[in-house]
Amino acid sequence: MADAALLELRQASVIFNGAAAVDRVSLSVRRGEFVVLRGATGSGKSTVLKLLAGLVKPTSGEVIVAGDRVDSFSEMERRWLRRSMGLMMQDGRLLEDRTVHENVMLPALAAEESYAEARRRAFLALEKCGIGELAPALPGRLSAGEKQLALLARAVVNRPVVILADEPVAHLDEANAQALLALLAAFVHAGVTVVAASHEALPVAGTSVREITLATPGAVEVRS
Ligand SMILES: Nc1ncnc2c1ncn2[C@@H]1O[C@H](COP(=O)(O)OP(=O)(O)OP(=O)(O)O)[C@@H](O)[C@H]1O
């Protein structure tokens, strides 16, 4: 079953106010893949990530994660689903009045880890993302690149099997983008599945990346 899909959309559509944000998209992602969702602004990349995370329900079609129809999950089941996923969403800001370390602890506390365990895991996640020294800092003094690394640390604090990252390197300069992509690639090498939405190609060195280009009415897959 090594090749079985971990994440799958089958003819999934999402209609907002009468307009399709996602129109009959079918795609599948295998365990351990690094997939980049490409597409123009408004093509539905963020909404596809939210479907996979159980944050948005499809108007029609199916969303399947590890063989389960998550579109018919209860709210509590969706919360459990999200604990196995690390989310770097575009609206996922750091809380400005908490330190970077406290921000990274939050998903661990939400997953009912003890305070001591959440603290420990948050330090580990920050170290893994190369910003351990920023633990006591307030988010306001971080650079754009450091903020993205802190968001990645927060996404991986619960040791997810999947990372869903929306425009992870938008607004980053070349060096910071490379640093973030190298980290995502390192997670893939460690067995994590990564799906990143990006309006531009993501040059990830040393890792094979599969691009899926979103276009209506379905997904056209392009191998790279
Ligand atoms: N919560 C919402 N309510 C209403 N319309 C929405 C909502 N979320 C997305 N849309 C609309 O759905 C369409 C797809 O949006 P989405 O953000 O998924 O696209 P995207 O490809 O990620 O775009 P971008 O590259 O600009 O982030 C857009 O027309 C957007 O305005």
Side-chain angles (χ1 to χ4, degrees), residues 34 88 124-132 145-156 163 165 168-169 172 175-194 196 203-207:
F34 193 146
M88 278 181 85
L124 278 177
L126 286 165
E127 289 292 343
K128 208 177 266 184
C129 294
I131 51 167
E146 290 167 343
K147 262 188 195 145
Q148 285 304 88
L149 292 172
L151 287 172
L152 179 59
R154 190 179 69 177
V156 299
I163 297 172
V169 302
L172 296 189
N176 281 309
Q178 283 303 329
L180 193 94
L181 291 174
L183 271 171
L184 287 175
F187 282 108
V188 170
H189 286 298
V192 178
T193 304
V194 172
V204 188
T207 301

Side-chain angles (χ1 to χ4, degrees), residues 16-17 20-21 39-48 50 90 166-167 199:
F16 289 123
N17 309 322
T41 290
S43 59
K45 304 180 294 296
S46 302
T47 310
V48 164
K50 288 177 183 168
Q90 278 187 304
D166 200 354
E167 299 286 357
H199 61 279

Side-chain angles (χ1 to χ4, degrees), residues 76-152:
M76 185 181 282
E77 288 171 316
R78 279 161 200 270
R79 276 205 294 275
W80 277 103
L81 169 73
R82 283 197 289 277
R83 285 183 193 173
S84 64
M85 297 185 167
L87 307 184
M88 278 181 85
M89 294 302 185
Q90 278 187 304
D91 43 14
R93 310 207 181 293
L94 298 167
L95 300 178
E96 295 293 329
D97 58 347
R98 309 276 182 97
T99 66
V100 169
H101 182 234
E102 287 166 340
N103 268 282
V104 175
M105 283 173 68
L106 289 176
L109 292 173
E112 291 162 26
E113 294 299 340
S114 69
Y115 191 83
E117 177 62 9
R119 251 178 83 78
R120 193 185 70 82
R121 283 196 191 188
F123 275 125
L124 278 177
L126 286 165
E127 289 292 343
K128 208 177 266 184
C129 294
I131 51 167
E133 78 287 357
L134 293 176
L138 287 172
R141 57 149 285 212
L142 304 189
S143 69
E146 290 167 343
K147 262 188 195 145
Q148 285 304 88
L149 292 172
L151 287 172
L152 179 59

